[in-house]
Amino acid sequence: MNEAEAGCVIREVAEETGIVIKPSECVLEIDEYYEDWKWVNRYFLGEVVGKTNVQLTDREQEVGMEPRWIPADEIVSIFSKHQMYADSDEMRRGMYLREYTALKNIGLRY
């Protein structure tokens, strides 16, 4: 699929949250490097313009994903604990660190 970036943002947010947004330009990019490949994470702000149905994949449903609003200070606190997973769950540690970094950078800018 050769989807434009804005369309991808709109689709992903709608599928996973049921909220339709008008996305900003990219406000932050975080690059992660793993062995011989690079993972690019791009972050956007969004203005809510409508609602739709949540459309989680079978795998997302199996692992218990659910959209939930959490106050910004609470989610920053949760992701700030990334180091506690260093010895037990490297994938979670990396995800928590990435999201903590993004929230702190975006929070400082907006």
mmCIF file of all heavy atoms in Angstrom, residues 76-106:
data_model
loop_
_atom_site.group_PDB
_atom_site.id
_atom_site.type_symbol
_atom_site.label_atom_id
_atom_site.label_comp_id
_atom_site.label_asym_id
_atom_site.label_seq_id
_atom_site.Cartn_x
_atom_site.Cartn_y
_atom_site.Cartn_z
ATOM 1 N N VAL A 76 2.697 9.979 31.485
ATOM 2 C CA VAL A 76 4.131 10.301 31.583
ATOM 3 C C VAL A 76 4.737 9.547 32.762
ATOM 4 O O VAL A 76 5.827 8.969 32.650
ATOM 5 C CB VAL A 76 4.357 11.824 31.706
ATOM 6 C CG1 VAL A 76 5.799 12.134 32.092
ATOM 7 C CG2 VAL A 76 4.011 12.529 30.399
ATOM 8 N N SER A 77 4.040 9.493 33.871
ATOM 9 C CA SER A 77 4.528 8.765 35.044
ATOM 10 C C SER A 77 4.681 7.268 34.750
ATOM 11 O O SER A 77 5.685 6.656 35.117
ATOM 12 C CB SER A 77 3.576 8.965 36.225
ATOM 13 O OG SER A 77 3.987 8.188 37.322
ATOM 14 N N ILE A 78 3.698 6.682 34.063
ATOM 15 C CA ILE A 78 3.771 5.259 33.718
ATOM 16 C C ILE A 78 4.983 4.991 32.835
ATOM 17 O O ILE A 78 5.790 4.104 33.108
ATOM 18 C CB ILE A 78 2.475 4.803 33.025
ATOM 19 C CG1 ILE A 78 1.311 4.779 34.020
ATOM 20 C CG2 ILE A 78 2.661 3.424 32.369
ATOM 21 C CD1 ILE A 78 -0.058 4.627 33.392
ATOM 22 N N PHE A 79 5.138 5.763 31.764
ATOM 23 C CA PHE A 79 6.242 5.531 30.832
ATOM 24 C C PHE A 79 7.605 5.920 31.420
ATOM 25 O O PHE A 79 8.631 5.441 30.938
ATOM 26 C CB PHE A 79 6.000 6.261 29.511
ATOM 27 C CG PHE A 79 4.927 5.621 28.665
ATOM 28 C CD1 PHE A 79 4.052 6.403 27.935
ATOM 29 C CD2 PHE A 79 4.798 4.245 28.574
ATOM 30 C CE1 PHE A 79 3.071 5.830 27.133
ATOM 31 C CE2 PHE A 79 3.810 3.654 27.785
ATOM 32 C CZ PHE A 79 2.954 4.455 27.065
ATOM 33 N N SER A 80 7.620 6.738 32.462
ATOM 34 C CA SER A 80 8.898 7.123 33.078
ATOM 35 C C SER A 80 9.570 5.941 33.776
ATOM 36 O O SER A 80 10.758 5.984 34.075
ATOM 37 C CB SER A 80 8.696 8.262 34.077
ATOM 38 O OG SER A 80 8.071 7.787 35.262
ATOM 39 N N LYS A 81 8.836 4.885 33.994
ATOM 40 C CA LYS A 81 9.369 3.708 34.690
ATOM 41 C C LYS A 81 10.009 2.713 33.715
ATOM 42 O O LYS A 81 10.135 1.529 34.005
ATOM 43 C CB LYS A 81 8.259 3.045 35.499
ATOM 44 C CG LYS A 81 7.726 3.960 36.600
ATOM 45 C CD LYS A 81 6.512 3.372 37.272
ATOM 46 C CE LYS A 81 6.013 4.210 38.415
ATOM 47 N NZ LYS A 81 5.578 5.542 38.096
ATOM 48 N N HIS A 82 10.454 3.189 32.561
ATOM 49 C CA HIS A 82 11.028 2.318 31.522
ATOM 50 C C HIS A 82 12.200 1.498 32.022
ATOM 51 O O HIS A 82 12.351 0.328 31.661
ATOM 52 C CB HIS A 82 11.428 3.140 30.291
ATOM 53 C CG HIS A 82 12.298 4.300 30.592
ATOM 54 N ND1 HIS A 82 13.658 4.214 30.694
ATOM 55 C CD2 HIS A 82 11.977 5.597 30.845
ATOM 56 C CE1 HIS A 82 14.153 5.393 30.973
ATOM 57 N NE2 HIS A 82 13.154 6.254 31.076
ATOM 58 N N GLN A 83 13.026 2.051 32.902
ATOM 59 C CA GLN A 83 14.225 1.344 33.334
ATOM 60 C C GLN A 83 13.917 0.099 34.173
ATOM 61 O O GLN A 83 14.701 -0.837 34.198
ATOM 62 C CB GLN A 83 15.144 2.298 34.106
ATOM 63 C CG GLN A 83 16.551 1.792 34.270
ATOM 64 C CD GLN A 83 17.232 1.457 32.942
ATOM 65 O OE1 GLN A 83 17.062 2.126 31.935
ATOM 66 N NE2 GLN A 83 18.002 0.387 32.936
ATOM 67 N N MET A 84 12.744 0.063 34.797
ATOM 68 C CA MET A 84 12.422 -1.102 35.629
ATOM 69 C C MET A 84 12.247 -2.383 34.803
ATOM 70 O O MET A 84 12.247 -3.480 35.350
ATOM 71 C CB MET A 84 11.193 -0.838 36.510
ATOM 72 C CG MET A 84 9.885 -0.758 35.770
ATOM 73 S SD MET A 84 8.496 -0.275 36.833
ATOM 74 C CE MET A 84 8.174 -1.784 37.713
ATOM 75 N N TYR A 85 12.144 -2.255 33.464
ATOM 76 C CA TYR A 85 12.003 -3.430 32.599
ATOM 77 C C TYR A 85 13.321 -3.827 31.937
ATOM 78 O O TYR A 85 13.345 -4.748 31.121
ATOM 79 C CB TYR A 85 10.942 -3.164 31.527
ATOM 80 C CG TYR A 85 9.583 -2.935 32.122
ATOM 81 C CD1 TYR A 85 9.068 -1.655 32.263
ATOM 82 C CD2 TYR A 85 8.826 -4.009 32.572
ATOM 83 C CE1 TYR A 85 7.823 -1.447 32.836
ATOM 84 C CE2 TYR A 85 7.582 -3.810 33.148
ATOM 85 C CZ TYR A 85 7.079 -2.522 33.274
ATOM 86 O OH TYR A 85 5.856 -2.314 33.844
ATOM 87 N N ALA A 86 14.413 -3.161 32.275
ATOM 88 C CA ALA A 86 15.706 -3.389 31.614
ATOM 89 C C ALA A 86 16.156 -4.843 31.682
ATOM 90 O O ALA A 86 16.722 -5.361 30.725
ATOM 91 C CB ALA A 86 16.765 -2.474 32.198
ATOM 92 N N ASP A 87 15.922 -5.512 32.791
ATOM 93 C CA ASP A 87 16.389 -6.890 32.954
ATOM 94 C C ASP A 87 15.347 -7.942 32.617
ATOM 95 O O ASP A 87 15.675 -9.125 32.537
ATOM 96 C CB ASP A 87 16.866 -7.115 34.395
ATOM 97 C CG ASP A 87 18.093 -6.284 34.735
ATOM 98 O OD1 ASP A 87 18.888 -6.008 33.815
ATOM 99 O OD2 ASP A 87 18.235 -5.913 35.907
ATOM 100 N N SER A 88 14.094 -7.526 32.416
ATOM 101 C CA SER A 88 13.042 -8.531 32.255
ATOM 102 C C SER A 88 12.285 -8.462 30.931
ATOM 103 O O SER A 88 11.777 -9.480 30.466
ATOM 104 C CB SER A 88 12.038 -8.416 33.395
ATOM 105 O OG SER A 88 11.416 -7.137 33.356
ATOM 106 N N ASP A 89 12.193 -7.291 30.317
ATOM 107 C CA ASP A 89 11.348 -7.157 29.134
ATOM 108 C C ASP A 89 11.885 -6.017 28.270
ATOM 109 O O ASP A 89 11.410 -4.885 28.351
ATOM 110 C CB ASP A 89 9.906 -6.893 29.575
ATOM 111 C CG ASP A 89 8.906 -6.965 28.436
ATOM 112 O OD1 ASP A 89 9.307 -6.858 27.259
ATOM 113 O OD2 ASP A 89 7.704 -7.113 28.738
ATOM 114 N N GLU A 90 12.869 -6.327 27.439
ATOM 115 C CA GLU A 90 13.525 -5.291 26.629
ATOM 116 C C GLU A 90 12.560 -4.616 25.669
ATOM 117 O O GLU A 90 12.658 -3.409 25.441
ATOM 118 C CB GLU A 90 14.712 -5.882 25.867
ATOM 119 C CG GLU A 90 15.458 -4.881 25.012
ATOM 120 C CD GLU A 90 16.000 -3.669 25.745
ATOM 121 O OE1 GLU A 90 16.239 -3.735 26.969
ATOM 122 O OE2 GLU A 90 16.185 -2.617 25.099
ATOM 123 N N MET A 91 11.610 -5.354 25.127
ATOM 124 C CA MET A 91 10.650 -4.738 24.210
ATOM 125 C C MET A 91 9.822 -3.674 24.932
ATOM 126 O O MET A 91 9.634 -2.567 24.437
ATOM 127 C CB MET A 91 9.739 -5.787 23.591
ATOM 128 C CG MET A 91 8.738 -5.190 22.600
ATOM 129 S SD MET A 91 7.650 -6.425 21.884
ATOM 130 C CE MET A 91 8.713 -7.048 20.605
ATOM 131 N N ARG A 92 9.352 -4.005 26.126
ATOM 132 C CA ARG A 92 8.556 -3.033 26.896
ATOM 133 C C ARG A 92 9.419 -1.858 27.329
ATOM 134 O O ARG A 92 9.004 -0.711 27.252
ATOM 135 C CB ARG A 92 7.926 -3.685 28.120
ATOM 136 C CG ARG A 92 7.076 -2.691 28.926
ATOM 137 C CD ARG A 92 6.356 -3.345 30.039
ATOM 138 N NE ARG A 92 5.340 -4.219 29.464
ATOM 139 C CZ ARG A 92 4.226 -4.554 30.087
ATOM 140 N NH1 ARG A 92 3.988 -4.124 31.285
ATOM 141 N NH2 ARG A 92 3.357 -5.349 29.503
ATOM 142 N N ARG A 93 10.644 -2.135 27.767
ATOM 143 C CA ARG A 93 11.542 -1.050 28.175
ATOM 144 C C ARG A 93 11.737 -0.070 27.011
ATOM 145 O O ARG A 93 11.615 1.137 27.170
ATOM 146 C CB ARG A 93 12.898 -1.583 28.628
ATOM 147 C CG ARG A 93 13.799 -0.471 29.192
ATOM 148 C CD ARG A 93 15.279 -0.797 29.066
ATOM 149 N NE ARG A 93 15.716 -0.900 27.694
ATOM 150 C CZ ARG A 93 16.000 0.143 26.898
ATOM 151 N NH1 ARG A 93 15.869 1.372 27.335
ATOM 152 N NH2 ARG A 93 16.408 -0.052 25.659
ATOM 153 N N GLY A 94 11.995 -0.615 25.824
ATOM 154 C CA GLY A 94 12.199 0.241 24.662
ATOM 155 C C GLY A 94 10.976 1.048 24.302
ATOM 156 O O GLY A 94 11.060 2.242 24.001
ATOM 157 N N MET A 95 9.796 0.415 24.328
ATOM 158 C CA MET A 95 8.562 1.120 24.019
ATOM 159 C C MET A 95 8.292 2.222 25.037
ATOM 160 O O MET A 95 7.950 3.345 24.688
ATOM 161 C CB MET A 95 7.371 0.157 23.991
ATOM 162 C CG MET A 95 6.076 0.862 23.629
ATOM 163 S SD MET A 95 4.577 -0.022 24.069
ATOM 164 C CE MET A 95 4.657 -0.076 25.840
ATOM 165 N N TYR A 96 8.439 1.892 26.340
ATOM 166 C CA TYR A 96 8.198 2.885 27.384
ATOM 167 C C TYR A 96 9.169 4.053 27.255
ATOM 168 O O TYR A 96 8.779 5.216 27.385
ATOM 169 C CB TYR A 96 8.335 2.254 28.770
ATOM 170 C CG TYR A 96 7.098 1.563 29.298
ATOM 171 C CD1 TYR A 96 6.255 0.836 28.468
ATOM 172 C CD2 TYR A 96 6.782 1.615 30.644
ATOM 173 C CE1 TYR A 96 5.131 0.198 28.959
ATOM 174 C CE2 TYR A 96 5.655 0.970 31.149
ATOM 175 C CZ TYR A 96 4.831 0.271 30.302
ATOM 176 O OH TYR A 96 3.730 -0.357 30.796
ATOM 177 N N LEU A 97 10.432 3.775 26.976
ATOM 178 C CA LEU A 97 11.421 4.844 26.828
ATOM 179 C C LEU A 97 11.080 5.720 25.632
ATOM 180 O O LEU A 97 11.124 6.953 25.714
ATOM 181 C CB LEU A 97 12.827 4.260 26.681
ATOM 182 C CG LEU A 97 13.937 5.272 26.400
ATOM 183 C CD1 LEU A 97 14.026 6.318 27.511
ATOM 184 C CD2 LEU A 97 15.272 4.551 26.223
ATOM 185 N N ARG A 98 10.722 5.110 24.511
ATOM 186 C CA ARG A 98 10.360 5.870 23.312
ATOM 187 C C ARG A 98 9.167 6.782 23.580
ATOM 188 O O ARG A 98 9.194 7.970 23.272
ATOM 189 C CB ARG A 98 10.048 4.908 22.168
ATOM 190 C CG ARG A 98 9.665 5.607 20.881
ATOM 191 C CD ARG A 98 9.242 4.631 19.800
ATOM 192 N NE ARG A 98 8.025 3.930 20.172
ATOM 193 C CZ ARG A 98 7.895 2.613 20.267
ATOM 194 N NH1 ARG A 98 8.907 1.809 20.014
ATOM 195 N NH2 ARG A 98 6.749 2.071 20.608
ATOM 196 N N GLU A 99 8.118 6.233 24.183
ATOM 197 C CA GLU A 99 6.919 7.040 24.426
ATOM 198 C C GLU A 99 7.169 8.114 25.485
ATOM 199 O O GLU A 99 6.664 9.231 25.370
ATOM 200 C CB GLU A 99 5.737 6.145 24.806
ATOM 201 C CG GLU A 99 5.359 5.150 23.727
ATOM 202 C CD GLU A 99 5.097 5.786 22.366
ATOM 203 O OE1 GLU A 99 4.464 6.866 22.291
ATOM 204 O OE2 GLU A 99 5.525 5.201 21.356
ATOM 205 N N TYR A 100 7.957 7.795 26.508
ATOM 206 C CA TYR A 100 8.324 8.790 27.517
ATOM 207 C C TYR A 100 9.089 9.931 26.873
ATOM 208 O O TYR A 100 8.796 11.111 27.108
ATOM 209 C CB TYR A 100 9.167 8.123 28.611
ATOM 210 C CG TYR A 100 9.661 9.073 29.669
ATOM 211 C CD1 TYR A 100 8.790 9.589 30.622
ATOM 212 C CD2 TYR A 100 10.992 9.461 29.701
ATOM 213 C CE1 TYR A 100 9.237 10.459 31.592
ATOM 214 C CE2 TYR A 100 11.449 10.336 30.675
ATOM 215 C CZ TYR A 100 10.573 10.832 31.616
ATOM 216 O OH TYR A 100 11.009 11.716 32.581
ATOM 217 N N THR A 101 10.047 9.588 26.020
ATOM 218 C CA THR A 101 10.837 10.599 25.319
ATOM 219 C C THR A 101 9.940 11.482 24.459
ATOM 220 O O THR A 101 10.067 12.706 24.465
ATOM 221 C CB THR A 101 11.922 9.925 24.460
ATOM 222 O OG1 THR A 101 12.764 9.141 25.309
ATOM 223 C CG2 THR A 101 12.755 10.945 23.710
ATOM 224 N N ALA A 102 9.023 10.865 23.733
ATOM 225 C CA ALA A 102 8.114 11.627 22.871
ATOM 226 C C ALA A 102 7.230 12.557 23.698
ATOM 227 O O ALA A 102 7.105 13.745 23.378
ATOM 228 C CB ALA A 102 7.249 10.673 22.047
ATOM 229 N N LEU A 103 6.632 12.030 24.744
ATOM 230 C CA LEU A 103 5.743 12.867 25.567
ATOM 231 C C LEU A 103 6.485 14.031 26.211
ATOM 232 O O LEU A 103 5.967 15.150 26.261
ATOM 233 C CB LEU A 103 5.081 12.004 26.662
ATOM 234 C CG LEU A 103 3.999 11.076 26.138
ATOM 235 C CD1 LEU A 103 3.694 9.995 27.175
ATOM 236 C CD2 LEU A 103 2.740 11.851 25.773
ATOM 237 N N LYS A 104 7.687 13.786 26.683
ATOM 238 C CA LYS A 104 8.471 14.863 27.292
ATOM 239 C C LYS A 104 8.860 15.912 26.252
ATOM 240 O O LYS A 104 8.800 17.104 26.526
ATOM 241 C CB LYS A 104 9.720 14.314 27.987
ATOM 242 C CG LYS A 104 9.430 13.438 29.193
ATOM 243 C CD LYS A 104 8.648 14.153 30.264
ATOM 244 C CE LYS A 104 9.564 15.012 31.094
ATOM 245 N NZ LYS A 104 8.907 15.647 32.240
ATOM 246 N N ASN A 105 9.235 15.477 25.057
ATOM 247 C CA ASN A 105 9.611 16.430 24.003
ATOM 248 C C ASN A 105 8.426 17.213 23.497
ATOM 249 O O ASN A 105 8.511 18.425 23.310
ATOM 250 C CB ASN A 105 10.284 15.697 22.832
ATOM 251 C CG ASN A 105 11.741 15.447 23.099
ATOM 252 O OD1 ASN A 105 12.543 16.360 23.022
ATOM 253 N ND2 ASN A 105 12.089 14.229 23.437
ATOM 254 N N ILE A 106 7.314 16.539 23.262
ATOM 255 C CA ILE A 106 6.125 17.238 22.777
ATOM 256 C C ILE A 106 5.579 18.147 23.866
ATOM 257 O O ILE A 106 5.167 19.260 23.619
ATOM 258 C CB ILE A 106 5.063 16.237 22.285
ATOM 259 C CG1 ILE A 106 5.567 15.566 21.006
ATOM 260 C CG2 ILE A 106 3.733 16.916 22.050
ATOM 261 C CD1 ILE A 106 4.722 14.400 20.544
#
